[in-house]
Structure formats: C-alpha cells, structure tokens
Amino acid sequence: MVKVRFAPSPTGYLHIGGARTALFNWLYAKHNNGKFVLRIEDTDRERSTKESEQEILDSLKWLGLDWDEGPGKSADDSMYYQTKRLPVYHKYAEKLLNEGKAYKCFCTREELDAERKKAEAEKRAFKYDGRCSRLSAGEIKANIDSGKPYTVRIKVEQSGETVMHDIVRGEVRVQNSTLDDIIILRADKMPIYNFVVVVDDVEMGITHVIRGDDHLSNTPKQIHIYRALGFELPRFAHIPLILGADKSKLSKRHGETSVMRYKEMGFLPEAMVNYLALLGWSPDSEETIFTPEELASKFDLDKVHKSGAMFDNKKLTHINGVHIRKKNIDDLTALCVPYMKKDGLITQDDVNTRLEFIKHTVFLQQEKLQTLSEISALSDYFYRDDIVLNADAAKVLEKNSAEKGKILEILLSVLETAGVDKTKVEELLKTEMEKAAIKPKAYMHVIRAVLSGTTQGPGLYDIIETLGLEKSRKRIKAAL
RNA sequence: GCCGCUAUCGUCUAACGGUUAGGACACGGGGUUCUCAAUCCUGUAAUUGGAGUUCGAUUCUCCAUAGCGGUACCA
C-alpha cells in the first residue's frame, strides 16, 4: 500500500511551497487509496514553537488536506513528534557505533567553522576529512574521560558513486567523493534531520518520499544512511520548487506566502488546491478547473514537471473567481459574512434577523467576486444610510445635469405607484421615460449613480428592489 | 568555488522523432448588455545558443550559456 508523509518543521507558518508539497502527497495518497501521514519534525529546538505547529495544522485543515495518521489521530501522538522519539534515534545511532559504521567526532563546531572559512577564502571546497574516525581507542577514551562533547558521524564510502532513481528526475548520480561523513547526532545528542528522516520514514513504512527539489542533494546522504542501517530504500519523487517573480525560491520577500494569509485575503481552499495542483503538474486534458476530488482521481507523479514554477497571483485569483461562482448562495453567504462583519457592514444581529437580505446582496455580487474580501466594497451601498459618490458617478451626474432633475422626478412618481418590484418598476419607468423622451442610457446611468454612488454593479432594477422604497426615495430626494 | 538540477508564449503548461507548436492566465479587439462583471468570438505572443545523430529534431547526445538548489552540530 502507498504510504506518504508530509513532515513540516514547526518553525514558522505553513507557506505556499509547503502547502503544495503537502498537497502532492495528499493527492498521491488519495489517488492510490494509500495513507497520508503528518509528522512534526521538531528536532530544531531553538526554532520550533507550539504556535507554529498549531498554525500549520490549522492551515492543512483549512486546505482540506486531512491526514490519516499524525497529531490528533490516535490516543498516543508521540510517534509523530520527533523530539518524543529520541530514544529510538539513539538506539539506531548506538547500533551504528557498535557496528563501526559510525564514529564519535570530537571536533568542535568552532574548529570546523574556522576550517570552512579558510577553505572558502582559498576558494577550495570544504570537506571534513574524517580525522576522528582514525583516532585510536586510547585517544577516544581520553577524550571521553575528559568530558569532551562529541557528535556522531556516519562513515561514508569515498569511492564509487551513488545512483538514485527519482520518479520525476530520473537517474541522478553523485560521486561519493563529494560527500563527507554525515553528522547524525549533535553534541547535545539531538539527532539531525538527515538521520531522523530516514529512521522515521522506515519505521512508519513510508513507501514514497515526495518532497521539494531542495532536498534532492540531501538524498544521496540519506541513501548512505539507509544502507548503513540496512534499510530498504523508498521511492523518491522530488517536485519542482515554487518560485517568486525573480525566479528564486518563493519566500517572504516576494510577498504573501502564508497559507492563512490567503484565507484572510478571501481565497477559497478549493481554489488554492486547484491552483497549487497546476503548479508543476498538469492533467491529460486541457481543463483547468477541478475539485479536490477530481484532482485526486487524476493526479499522478509521472505528469509532474521538472522545472520550477513561478507563483502567479493573477491566475490564482481567476481560479478563485471560478470557484466562487460555483458556490451555492447559502455557502457563499456564510463565507462572506465574516468579511462583511469585519468591514462594519453588518453585525451578528443582522445575521440573525435579516439573513435573507444579506444572502440576496451576496447573490447580486456573486459573478463579480474574485475574492471573498471584495464583498464589502461592492455592496456597501446596500447597507449604508447614504451613498458615497465616487468620481465616475459624479461625472455621470454632471454630464446629465440638464435632465437629472426630470429623471429623478419621474422615478420618484414611478416608485410611488409601482413600489420597488423590479419588473413593475422596469415596465412603468420605461413607458414614463419614453413619454418624456429620455433615452434609457441616460436615465439608467443617472439613477444608478444616485442610488449607488457608483457606475457599476448589479442590474439597476435589482438595486432598486434590494434597496427598498425608503432608502431609494431618500437618496433620490437627497440628489434633487 | 565545488556538487546537483533545470531550460517551450510575459506567466502556468501541452506536444509516440513528423502538429499551421495546442490550451489556460494576463493583455488587445469585437458580440451581448442599463454599467461593471460573467459569457461568446477573436488577436498579439514561445522552442536559450552552437555542434552532432537522423530523410526529419521542441523532443535524443555533447558543449556553451543562463537560472535555481545544495554545499550547517537547519529542516
């Protein structure tokens, strides 16, 4: 059975790139009726926080990327937190030490840093020379007796090459001579990523390691660790990075990268999923709009592209608009309400007492919305007492100033007899205006400006009907 | 520097070695419409360069160039 995992380190929010990696794993698991595991890689104690972890969990949940195993899925979560599995890693490290496949390295970080710097200054590649592996038993004992801290390194064979078969990259070869002895345990006994990732993937039975391209050069090292441990290799798939506008790996300096910020900005999770899936992968067909379920049924690793993909907010926004248009009005309203509340258009009381009205105003803007957050600016004139006349609308009134008074007088009388029913108003207004020899374009534009303060929006008669008699009358009188 | 990866419209991408190099976003034009949006039609726009293999290279090989990633007691 296919079993994949997403293994974030809780050192910050879940960003777009991480979300896409999680998504590809999730899609692959779903597609193959496999399992999707979430594991928290918190061995970097200095930077890991509980808040970050919570935000990552919330982000994944929001995106709908539910995990089969991981935090919150069983009575005992400890298996999914690396800091809670320290004895396991120590056990394996001990085993390697006993078998002579690993050794204790007494070199200090300072010494190594100095050598690295020197090598850099001399334009040489720095590589640890493995000197501690050649220490005599006596020297080792002396070091330990004197309490000298040590890291644990795995000895890496220096001849030959390591070949990996990546599902998306194909065959990748590296000369072993370019690798140095890999640290698996820090001086404080905390295990290192390359080591824990191997141990955990094996212990969890991960069959496919799907991760960002930036891990490609770690893979040969990990393969050496697998071999030292006598483990079988999983299948690897390195997916292309998501790039910013300058084609470097997407990061904060390119703008918003936090998944939760996209939620705040009014993006739908299914739109994020849809867009992210298309970044680095393409379906057989030429369609572009998919539900998460459709993506899961179509997704496969062999259609994953090799090169990095630039994140394009415009396309995301377009896809978001399409998904918004597909929403039913109850769901869309529920989604819009938080934004309307935040922008002061409505209160919870309004939600309780005039939900149908709110729904209707949302309905009128549905086809125009690209992001949920736009709802307030588009429909505020339905909620305000008075309009705010924008520049374009002012221009319209000015242009038609000669007829404005007459138009409004007629409208007023039409409303008095017809009420605000949109078909009745349309009918009567049309005949009355014809009598007065006023062109539709002229009176409609003027009325729209007076009633909404803008030059765009839903159909004019929808506006009148939604506004109601009282507000319409008030705005007409104010403009006269 | 060293190691690795990558290279098709501005962007995301498609194309058994044979296509007028296709689609989507964005942009431009037009239809529809009371406006905007939506929708429909439509236009502009790409194979990094050089060798080689081949009857024929976007596609295979090599070189160059460029970009990216890695080069930690981070993940």
Side-chain angles (χ1 to χ4, degrees):
Chain A
M1 187 186 48
V2 165
K3 195 170 180 185
V4 297
R5 47 62 167 186
F6 177 57
S9 68
T11 53
Y13 54 74
L14 181 67
H15 58 91
I16 297 294
R20 208 273 308 255
T21 301
L23 173 63
F24 277 25
N25 275 282
W26 184 85
L27 289 172
Y28 192 70
K30 292 284 168 217
H31 182 81
N32 294 289
N33 285 313
K35 291 241 182 301
F36 176 53
V37 178
L38 179 63
R39 182 174 73 216
I40 306 297
E41 306 217 327
D42 55 356
T43 53
D44 183 346
R45 268 193 230 162
E46 316 216 327
R47 296 190 298 153
S48 298
T49 67
K50 215 61 192 164
E51 294 72 52
S52 292
E53 182 194 324
Q54 192 54 51
E55 163 137 4
I56 290 169
L57 261 39
D58 289 344
S59 300
L60 289 170
K61 283 181 195 157
W62 177 68
L63 287 169
L65 307 183
D66 50 311
W67 50 99
D68 301 296
E69 293 177 23
K73 290 292 171 185
S74 55
D76 181 12
D77 279 350
S78 57
M79 165 141 198
Y80 304 99
Y81 291 86
Q82 295 185 324
T83 47
K84 293 184 182 164
R85 291 168 46 75
L86 265 18
V88 176
Y89 311 122
H90 291 152
K91 182 188 81 188
Y92 283 110
E94 198 62 34
K95 180 169 173 267
L96 292 174
L97 244 15
N98 290 338
E99 292 171 352
K101 291 174 177 168
Y103 61 91
K104 293 168 181 168
C105 174
F106 298 92
C107 300
T108 66
R109 191 198 295 249
E110 290 70 28
E111 284 164 13
L112 262 18
D113 281 349
E115 286 176 43
R116 200 181 338 265
K117 236 179 207 163
K118 188 159 170 260
E120 204 175 306
E122 293 168 8
K123 297 207 173 228
R124 273 187 298 115
F126 172 75
K127 203 177 107 180
Y128 180 62
D129 59 9
R131 76 193 78 123
C132 287
S133 67
R134 294 183 289 273
L135 257 27
S136 69
E139 287 170 308
I140 295 171
K141 187 173 186 306
N143 278 331
I144 290 176
D145 288 347
S146 66
K148 239 180 150 179
Y150 59 87
T151 61
V152 175
R153 288 182 188 261
I154 284 189
K155 263 187 237 172
V156 174
E157 174 58 48
Q158 289 297 294
S159 63
E161 62 179 5
T162 300
V163 183
M164 51 179 290
H165 303 274
D166 190 277
I167 297 173
V168 341
R169 304 283 148 169
E171 196 176 85
V172 178
R173 299 165 171 274
V174 290
Q175 293 300 315
N176 288 336
S177 56
T178 64
L179 271 24
D180 52 8
D181 292 346
I182 308 154
I183 294 183
I184 57 172
L185 245 45
R186 295 171 167 94
D188 67 359
K189 298 291 161 279
M190 213 42 178
I192 287 291
Y193 166 74
N194 278 317
F195 185 55
V196 290
V197 79
V198 168
V199 169
D200 283 349
D201 283 345
V202 168
E203 290 224 327
M204 290 178 181
I206 300 302
T207 57
H208 298 255
V209 171
I210 304 170
R211 76 224 311 192
D213 207 4
D214 46 347
H215 287 278
L216 190 62
S217 39
N218 279 322
T219 309
K221 294 182 198 170
Q222 290 169 17
I223 288 175
H224 282 275
I225 297 177
Y226 276 98
R227 291 206 182 123
L229 255 12
F231 291 150
E232 220 172 286
L233 294 180
R235 301 276 282 137
F236 291 102
H238 287 91
I239 62 180
L241 257 24
I242 296 183
L243 278 21
D246 63 354
K247 292 191 181 248
S248 66
K249 185 171 159 182
L250 187 71
S251 70
K252 258 178 249 174
R253 69 200 155 83
H254 296 109
E256 297 294 352
T257 55
S258 136
V259 168
M260 280 319 211
R261 270 295 292 150
Y262 279 85
K263 178 191 178 191
E264 285 168 30
M265 290 187 285
F267 289 92
L268 260 26
E270 58 266 46
M272 294 297 292
V273 162
N274 190 160
Y275 176 67
L276 254 18
L278 261 20
L279 228 42
W281 171 81
S282 62
D284 298 320
S285 63
E286 286 188 332
E287 308 160 78
T288 48
I289 303 299
F290 302 99
T291 63
E293 294 69 31
E294 287 166 342
L295 289 169
S297 78
K298 288 171 184 292
F299 184 82
D300 211 345
L301 255 14
D302 57 12
K303 293 283 284 178
V304 172
H305 209 233
K306 287 179 184 173
S307 51
M310 228 182 256
F311 187 78
D312 180 8
N313 239 307
K314 288 216 177 94
K315 192 157 184 173
L316 201 213
T317 303
H318 168 259
I319 288 178
N320 201 52
V322 175
H323 283 274
I324 284 178
R325 271 172 257 136
K326 284 168 57 177
K327 284 269 176 225
N328 73 51
I329 196 60
D330 287 345
D331 291 346
L332 184 59
T333 303
L335 255 8
C336 286
V337 159
Y339 294 92
M340 299 171 83
K341 278 186 186 168
K342 181 175 136 268
D343 295 321
L345 258 53
I346 58 171
T347 61
Q348 182 55 42
D349 195 45
D350 293 314
V351 178
N352 296 339
T353 58
R354 14 184 248 150
L355 186 59
E356 287 308 313
F357 176 78
I358 297 171
K359 261 191 216 172
H360 189 63
T361 63
V362 170
F363 169 75
L364 292 179
Q365 306 294 355
Q366 181 166 19
E367 60 184 14
K368 238 177 297 292
L369 285 181
Q370 298 234 83
T371 57
L372 300 172
S373 55
E374 290 163 354
I375 189 66
S376 302
L378 287 174
S379 41
D380 70 336
Y381 51 80
F382 287 129
Y383 294 90
R384 289 174 176 281
D385 287 332
D386 305 299
I387 58 154
V388 178
L389 196 67
N390 72 24
D392 286 343
K395 222 176 280 172
V396 165
L397 294 184
E398 198 177 323
K399 198 177 136 201
N400 297 285
S401 54
E403 287 172 312
K404 188 181 115 183
K406 202 161 151 202
I407 291 169
L408 295 181
E409 294 287 1
I410 294 172
L411 174 62
L412 209 48
S413 76
V414 166
L415 294 186
E416 297 307 334
T417 55
V420 290
D421 178 275
K422 69 177 181 179
T423 44
K424 284 184 191 159
V425 173
E426 179 169 5
E427 224 170 276
L428 192 54
L429 195 63
K430 203 174 157 196
T431 44
E432 292 304 312
M433 289 296 177
E434 264 169 23
K435 274 188 215 163
I438 299 173
K439 294 255 183 275
K441 269 199 173 146
Y443 68 79
M444 288 187 136
H445 289 177
V446 168
I447 296 173
R448 173 183 296 281
V450 166
L451 257 27
S452 72
T454 80
T455 53
Q456 55 185 61
L460 182 58
Y461 304 106
D462 280 309
I463 294 181
I464 293 174
E465 187 175 69
T466 307
L467 230 33
L469 192 55
E470 193 189 331
K471 267 193 179 154
S472 299
R473 199 192 271 146
K474 192 175 162 206
R475 290 180 189 183
I476 296 164
K477 284 181 175 158
L480 270 169

